[in-house]
Amino acid sequence: MNTTQPLVSVLITNYNYASYLGEAIDSALNQTYPNLEVIVVDDGSTDRSREIIASYQDRIIPVLQENHGQAAAVNAGFATSKGEIICFLDADDVWLPTKVEEVVKAIVSASNAAVVYHKIQNIDKEGSLMGLPWPPHPVIRGDISHKVAQTGGWWPWPPSTALSFTRTFLTQVLDIPEQEYRFFADAYPADLAPFFGNIVGLNQVLSYFRLHGANNWSNSARRDERNLTELEVRTKILNSVLLHKGINATVCLEHHLPYQEISYRLGKRQDLVLLSQLMLQNPWEPRLHSRLKAIAMLWMNHSMLLSRQIRSGEALTR
């Protein structure tokens, strides 16, 4: 890698986000880091997106395709890119001006980095700040492959607007399977990254993540229903890739805390002992009191549910 100013490819994927697309492109073009290319992949939009893309002329590299999904858009963008670092940016999100500069510093100074990530700040559809930065706990750095294997393939990576990957890593694992990852393409490289290099977390907010009602992160009920199936697909493919690449690791959803939490919320699993153990052993939450608080809330909610069921049963017998 060019250790002075490596070329950075900004990969923006868009589908019918004309309302936000210009702001996303502007945030990529207005970076303090000079050596970058901005690639905008439009995945068959039917709104004004392509008109907006055309207005930037040669300031960006457009890739226009029929609607094939997010994974296909990422694959097309990566095939077009030339950068040694690939930064993902969803078309409804916004970067802070120093984002790329900080990412480059981190990758150049790190050893064997596969991915750099940082904290995000939620905003609403008008751009007003919402809540506190995420993740709330210290970021992760180094070789975490052993921990990720023990936690069922899970580590708390952020949305794609906060993910940047080295080309060295991506060339080993792409293309992304397009049918399986049609709606959650960032999960494929994020799941694999810990097994191919080090994780470099930056303890600063460098992106705004927009919640506007149309993205998956805005609807918790829909997210829960879809995530169970998605996690099952991701785990199967993750194990398949690791086996194909000769990496001695296997992950299992039995040890995957988010999967077990969602299963419990949806009434599919009632194993509170297993869930409590996973919460207590959670390596990504360094604060013991937070882990114990989560366990206490789990059992309190379960007791309240049992009480309601008992009262309901008594009412039916009267």
Side-chain angles (χ1 to χ4, degrees):
M1 179 178 291
N2 182 344
T3 56
T4 53
Q5 287 191 335
L7 177 64
V8 174
S9 297
V10 179
L11 181 50
I12 301 175
T13 56
N14 175 71
Y15 176 67
N16 284 345
Y17 276 161
S19 299
Y20 312 114
L21 179 58
E23 190 175 359
I25 295 174
D26 288 342
S27 74
L29 291 173
N30 295 329
Q31 290 292 302
T32 57
Y33 186 81
N35 192 22
L36 54 79
E37 59 179 10
V38 178
I39 301 167
V40 183
V41 183
D42 185 76
D43 189 46
S45 293
T46 57
D47 60 7
R48 294 182 53 253
S49 291
R50 296 199 173 183
E51 179 183 338
I52 293 169
I53 292 171
S55 71
Y56 285 88
Q57 299 180 353
D58 61 355
R59 300 178 67 199
I60 64 174
I61 302 171
V63 178
L64 309 179
Q65 64 181 33
E66 295 181 2
N67 180 244
H68 295 298
Q70 191 181 37
V74 172
N75 287 338
F78 181 69
T80 303
S81 71
K82 297 180 175 63
E84 297 176 83
I85 300 169
I86 314 296
C87 299
F88 287 8
L89 173 57
D90 284 343
D92 54 343
D93 296 331
V94 181
W95 283 352
L96 274 64
T98 59
K99 146 89 178 197
V100 175
E101 181 180 349
E102 295 299 329
V103 166
V104 171
K105 286 180 184 177
I107 288 183
V108 168
S109 61
S111 172
N112 191 34
V115 60
V116 171
Y117 81 99
H118 54 75
K119 295 193 174 186
I120 61 169
Q121 173 66 58
N122 289 340
I123 59 174
D124 62 19
K125 60 182 179 180
E126 284 81 25
S128 299
L129 303 184
M130 300 174 61
L132 298 174
W134 189 92
H137 46 70
V139 294
I140 300 164
R141 297 180 69 91
D143 180 356
I144 63 170
S145 57
H146 183 62
K147 287 183 178 179
V148 174
Q150 289 183 324
T151 54
W154 166 59
W155 67 283
W157 49 268
S160 55
T161 184
L163 294 171
S164 300
F165 300 96
T166 61
R167 190 173 202 88
T168 300
F169 160 62
L170 289 181
T171 53
Q172 297 179 75
V173 299
L174 264 56
D175 284 341
I176 302 172
E178 295 184 0
Q179 187 60 40
E180 293 87 346
Y181 289 87
R182 182 178 178 87
F183 300 108
F184 49 101
D186 53 346
Y188 179 79
D191 286 344
L192 285 165
F195 298 99
F196 286 81
N198 289 332
I199 309 302
V200 183
L202 302 180
N203 196 34
Q204 51 191 305
V205 172
L206 295 172
S207 299
Y208 291 145
F209 180 76
R210 196 185 305 271
L211 298 172
H212 50 76
N215 46 12
N216 288 338
W217 294 76
S218 301
N219 189 318
S220 59
R222 182 174 65 182
R223 185 172 69 244
D224 275 356
E225 290 290 347
R226 288 181 58 179
N227 266 357
L228 283 185
T229 301
E230 291 175 1
L231 286 170
E232 289 163 1
V233 170
R234 287 165 51 188
T235 300
K236 181 179 179 180
I237 292 177
L238 174 57
N239 280 325
S240 176
V241 173
L242 294 178
L243 178 64
H244 177 70
K245 295 294 183 179
I247 296 174
N248 186 25
T250 304
V251 301
C252 174
L253 287 172
E254 190 77 9
H255 308 134
H256 196 294
L257 176 56
Y259 182 85
Q260 296 300 331
E261 286 180 312
I262 295 169
S263 298
Y264 175 75
R265 282 200 301 271
L266 295 177
K268 298 179 184 296
R269 291 289 299 269
Q270 296 294 324
D271 192 343
L272 293 184
V273 175
L274 170 64
L275 195 49
S276 299
Q277 289 175 337
L278 293 178
M279 288 178 172
L280 183 62
Q281 297 167 0
N282 179 4
W284 314 122
E285 174 50 77
R287 298 165 297 190
L288 177 60
H289 73 274
S290 295
R291 285 178 271 154
L292 293 175
K293 182 179 178 181
I295 295 171
M297 288 295 296
L298 172 69
W299 284 90
M300 183 175 68
N301 291 338
H302 182 69
S303 298
M304 292 172 62
L305 176 62
L306 287 178
S307 297
R308 287 196 297 269
Q309 291 173 342
I310 291 172
R311 288 196 297 270
S312 176
E314 290 175 348
L316 290 173
T317 58
R318 290 176 181 173

